[in-house]
Amino acid sequence: MSAGAPPSFKWRLVRWLVIFEVGTIMLAIAVMVGLLWATGYLIDGYENGNVDVLKDAIARNRRGALILRETPELARLRKETGAIWFVARDGAGHHLSEGIVPPEFAFATVGLGRMNDARFRLAPDRNARPEAVVKWVETPAGNVQIFTGTEGHLTLDRLLLGTSGAFLSIFVPMLLVVALATVIVTPIVVRRMLAGLSHAASHAARIEFDQRGIQMPVENIPREFLPLVKAVNDALARLDEGYTRHKRFLAQAAHELRTPIAILNTRVASLPSSAEKMRLTEDAARLAVLAGQLLDLQRLDQRTSSFSSVDLNALARRVIVDLAPLAFAAGYEVSFESGDEIVAVLGDHSSLERALMNLVQNAIEHGGRQGKITVRVTDPACIEVCDEGNGIPPGQREQIFEPFSRLHPAGRGAGLGLSLVREIVQLHGGQVAAIDRSPKGACLRISLPPAAREA
């Protein structure tokens, strides 16, 4: 995982589950031990209090005989009980004793060699704590048999020590098994539970900018994530609504502009010939094409027009005929190059015609008002418009197709023409690009999918 990547939900869940499981088990152990200690069950029912103290106090002297060391715990036991008694022996026959064995248990001293573990009770209750025990225990002197009373109690230190040993030998392996199961099982469960969310995400990844009415599927989405998916769907619906209102506004604005543009053309035509009239005529024609393109985009986007066969040669000839007077008046020569065969595409004739008109008007505007403007139709289905002006710098050949992008900030126009051309061509499944075609000047090419030719 990279440093900037967001944390994984799956492994965060695993980590918190493991922490929760370990904490729960340890808390349960602590509560259980605390309750047993608080209720006195461990204190009152514990039978090895004397044995625990004596096994730490029994040692050997230099001759190997058993001796009793006066430990703090032994002193405390003597103080609590007043007097203790015990008999200790090892397997080699060494003996150590203190105090007087109660008469009722004296018989047991004779048979200690035949005992391994024994409890002696005076009361008939088998669940009561015995009054004497026989244990073989490990001491500093080795394995020793101790016969003693049960007056001593379980101390908290020994309880914690015994609990830690049990924890290491029993609960730690159990915790490891639980943690391992969590690490293995949780990712599988999470992956299955989030399969619906993964499907919705992959569906969202395929949504394109020109698709409308798209919604993420909500089937098999976990209930916890359903509000997020619904919120995304609501956002998509609002975007669709906003896009529709935006397109409707542009179409209405373009429609409303057609009448004043027509009036403007009529008034400009009535002016006497001059350089200013030529400029006004170019601008009015450009406005008319832009307004028509906005209407074309609305029509094509709503699929209200059906595509038909369009001959690019015939389309280019018509555009040249319409715009040749503007080009001649601006100081250009106009050239048309094409083959004899029909170059057919499937498309909307009027929108393709206006797109080509926009490219020719762009050449008239930026071609330096000298030289030649060439319109060329080539196989399989391409139209090129080239001028002999200053050209387009390589670093700006993509930027010129962005909305409101202008090669010359001080130039005329709002920078929408080429952007509208690209949208219309893309709606036809084609592309428009600036290419290297001539030694100087700019050359823009429209490439469209050719229509299937009949045999």
Side-chain angles (χ1 to χ4, degrees):
M1 180 182 295
S2 61
S8 168
F9 167 78
K10 174 176 62 180
W11 294 115
R12 288 180 67 183
L13 179 61
V14 168
R15 182 172 68 249
W16 283 109
L17 282 176
V18 171
I19 293 174
F20 175 76
E21 291 164 354
V22 173
T24 301
I25 292 176
M26 295 184 68
L27 179 62
I29 295 172
V31 170
M32 179 181 65
V33 173
L35 288 175
L36 292 175
W37 179 267
T39 56
Y41 176 81
L42 292 177
I43 299 175
D44 297 336
Y46 192 64
E47 62 184 37
N48 294 326
N50 291 16
V51 174
D52 289 340
V53 174
L54 291 170
K55 73 177 183 179
D56 292 336
I58 294 175
R60 293 185 187 273
N61 58 19
R62 294 181 178 180
R63 296 188 299 271
L66 297 177
I67 61 172
L68 187 66
R69 298 181 301 175
E70 194 66 23
T71 63
E73 288 189 343
L74 181 58
R76 185 168 57 249
L77 179 61
R78 293 182 192 279
K79 181 178 180 181
E80 292 175 355
T81 60
I84 63 170
W85 64 268
F86 72 90
V87 176
R89 56 182 293 274
D90 62 10
H94 298 95
H95 287 74
L96 179 65
S97 64
E98 181 179 319
I100 301 173
V101 178
E104 56 269 26
F105 306 131
F107 71 92
T109 57
V110 180
L112 286 178
R114 297 187 296 272
M115 294 182 191
N116 184 43
D117 187 270
R119 294 169 178 82
F120 300 94
R121 291 184 179 88
L122 298 177
D125 186 4
R126 297 180 59 87
N127 294 322
R129 183 169 67 175
E131 283 74 20
V133 293
V134 176
K135 298 281 186 179
W136 281 94
V137 293
E138 287 294 330
T139 71
N143 194 252
V144 174
Q145 185 187 45
I146 299 176
F147 177 31
T148 185
T150 59
E151 296 84 0
H153 301 294
L154 176 64
T155 63
L156 183 59
D157 294 342
R158 292 190 180 276
L159 174 62
L160 295 178
L161 183 61
T163 303
S164 63
F167 180 79
L168 292 175
S169 60
I170 299 175
F171 293 108
V172 168
M174 183 175 67
L175 288 174
L176 291 177
V177 171
V178 171
L180 181 61
T182 302
V183 171
I184 295 175
V185 174
T186 302
I188 298 175
V189 173
V190 170
R191 185 167 58 250
R192 291 186 177 181
M193 292 298 294
L194 299 184
L197 192 62
S198 299
H199 174 68
S202 62
H203 183 83
R206 295 192 296 269
I207 297 177
E208 297 294 338
F209 73 96
D210 58 345
Q211 293 177 314
R212 302 290 171 262
I214 302 297
Q215 295 282 283
M216 294 174 62
V218 297
E219 294 81 9
N220 300 321
I221 298 295
R223 183 168 52 190
E224 293 78 5
F225 294 95
L226 197 56
L228 173 62
V229 177
K230 288 184 176 180
V232 173
N233 284 337
D234 291 342
L236 290 174
R238 291 194 297 272
L239 289 175
D240 287 343
E241 183 181 355
Y243 180 84
T244 301
R245 288 201 302 266
H246 172 70
K247 286 294 185 181
R248 189 184 302 119
F249 167 78
L250 289 180
Q252 292 173 349
H255 184 75
E256 293 296 328
L257 284 174
R258 297 180 73 176
T259 299
I261 290 174
I263 296 174
L264 177 63
N265 280 325
T266 302
R267 292 181 177 178
V268 170
S270 65
L271 295 175
S273 298
S274 65
E276 189 64 26
K277 177 182 179 180
M278 181 193 67
R279 291 282 189 178
L280 289 174
T281 302
E282 292 177 6
D283 291 339
R286 193 171 188 84
L287 284 175
V289 171
L290 288 176
Q293 284 182 308
L294 289 174
L295 290 173
D296 291 337
L297 283 175
Q298 179 69 11
R299 203 162 34 83
L300 293 173
D301 193 50
Q302 294 181 351
R303 302 294 190 267
T304 57
S305 64
S306 59
F307 285 174
S308 59
S309 180
V310 178
D311 180 12
L312 295 186
N313 281 323
L315 183 144
R317 289 191 185 96
R318 180 171 176 176
V319 170
I320 290 175
V321 170
D322 289 342
L323 295 182
L326 285 178
F328 294 151
Y332 297 100
E333 298 179 14
V334 177
S335 173
F336 175 58
E337 300 177 4
S338 69
D340 297 330
E341 296 183 357
I342 294 176
V343 180
V345 298
L346 287 178
D348 180 74
H349 187 280
S350 60
S351 61
L352 289 177
E353 182 179 12
R354 270 187 278 265
L356 181 57
M357 290 178 70
N358 203 316
L359 294 188
V360 175
Q361 289 176 336
N362 190 72
I364 293 173
E365 174 68 24
H366 301 288
R369 300 192 176 272
Q370 62 180 355
K372 183 188 298 183
I373 294 177
T374 303
V375 178
R376 185 181 298 110
V377 179
T378 62
D379 282 332
C382 298
I383 301 181
E384 298 174 1
V385 178
C386 305
D387 61 53
E388 297 179 354
N390 295 325
I392 304 171
Q396 296 183 346
R397 290 182 180 178
E398 288 292 332
Q399 180 183 345
I400 59 173
F401 295 102
E402 296 297 325
F404 307 106
S405 174
R406 292 185 296 178
L407 190 60
H408 304 291
R412 294 181 298 169
L416 288 175
L418 294 181
S419 174
L420 294 175
V421 170
R422 182 174 64 176
E423 289 193 46
I424 290 175
V425 172
Q426 286 178 343
L427 288 172
H428 284 79
Q431 295 178 341
V432 60
I435 62 171
D436 288 320
R437 180 75 179 189
S438 55
K440 64 177 182 176
C443 192
L444 301 180
R445 173 190 287 171
I446 295 176
S447 302
L448 297 168
R453 296 186 180 181
E454 296 182 358

